[in-house]
Amino acid sequence: MIMLHPLFYSPLHSYPLNYLRKNAPLILNFYNSEVQKAKYKGEIYPSDQPVDESTMSIEFFQRDREQNRKGIIGINLREWSP
């Protein structure tokens, strides 16, 4: 599962958003996880998306089903190379 930082898809940073709309629109379809899983082998969510009335997705995905903490990493794709 990949989480997109809110600044990534904000109007101030429209270049990556416009690029994705044109070249990879399924990445921005946050409500069709089955299609994302089929294409990208995982799900992609904005980190500030609400899961319920009191929980944001970034908080939700930091715990497993037994409420144990788990790690989330951030990768700067502009600086990353394989």
Side-chain angles (χ1 to χ4, degrees):
M1 192 256 313
I2 297 172
M3 304 205 79
L4 298 176
H5 190 278
L7 287 178
F8 183 82
Y9 52 91
S10 76
L12 297 175
H13 296 81
S14 62
Y15 173 75
L17 185 60
N18 291 335
Y19 178 85
L20 290 175
R21 281 188 182 128
K22 180 180 178 188
N23 297 294
L26 293 177
I27 288 178
L28 300 175
N29 187 351
F30 307 122
Y31 301 103
N32 195 342
S33 62
E34 293 304 316
V35 171
Q36 285 184 347
K37 286 179 190 177
K39 173 107 175 144
Y40 301 109
K41 310 296 185 228
E43 300 166 277
I44 302 162
Y45 294 101
S47 61
D48 63 343
Q49 176 178 332
V51 175
D52 59 31
E53 309 82 42
S54 62
T55 310
M56 301 304 272
S57 58
I58 189 74
E59 299 160 353
F60 176 80
F61 288 110
Q62 289 186 30
R63 301 218 175 251
D64 64 16
R65 293 180 184 186
E66 287 79 38
Q67 296 303 309
N68 298 311
R69 293 198 49 85
K70 59 183 182 178
I72 293 179
I73 63 167
I75 300 172
N76 184 334
L77 297 178
R78 291 188 176 131
E79 296 179 12
W80 180 81
S81 63

